[in-house]
Amino acid sequence: MSGERLATIGDCVAGTGPGQFIAPHGIALDSQGDMYVADVALSTWSQCFPEQPMPPKLRTLHKLRHVVATAPSSADGSSVAFPS
C-alpha cells in the first residue's frame, strides 16, 4: 500500500493542550465539517507520563470544529488549521 500524506493533525508531543493527544485511536467526520478524535488516554496515561498524576478531567473525545486544510506550513508540506 502506498499513498501521499495530505495533512497532519495534532502536535508531535503527547499532551493535554489544544491540538495535543495522548493516544489517538479513532477518527470520524460529520456533515458539518467537524472532526472527532477518540483518545485512549485513560488507559495509557501512566505509560506516557509515569511521573505525573492523571488529570481529574482527562479528555477521551476531542471535537475539532470545522477543520479545514491550510497552505503548507510544515516540513512535510502539510498542515491542518485548529480553530481557536
Side-chain angles (χ1 to χ4, degrees), residues 44-65:
T44 58
W45 179 267
S46 61
Q47 295 168 348
C48 294
F49 304 100
E51 303 297 321
Q52 297 180 22
M54 185 180 302
K57 293 187 177 183
L58 191 59
R59 296 175 298 175
T60 56
L61 183 66
H62 304 261
K63 180 178 182 181
L64 310 172
R65 296 176 183 238

Side-chain angles (χ1 to χ4, degrees), residues 4-76:
E4 178 183 344
R5 181 184 298 188
L6 299 177
T8 301
I9 300 170
D11 197 325
C12 292
V13 178
T16 59
Q20 291 183 315
F21 305 101
I22 305 296
H25 187 71
I27 189 167
L29 297 169
D30 68 16
S31 62
Q32 303 299 312
D34 297 335
M35 180 182 295
Y36 299 85
V37 179
D39 198 336
V40 292
L42 292 174
S43 61
T44 58
W45 179 267
S46 61
Q47 295 168 348
C48 294
F49 304 100
E51 303 297 321
Q52 297 180 22
M54 185 180 302
K57 293 187 177 183
L58 191 59
R59 296 175 298 175
T60 56
L61 183 66
H62 304 261
K63 180 178 182 181
L64 310 172
R65 296 176 183 238
H66 304 291
V67 175
V68 296
T70 60
S73 63
S74 62
D76 67 359

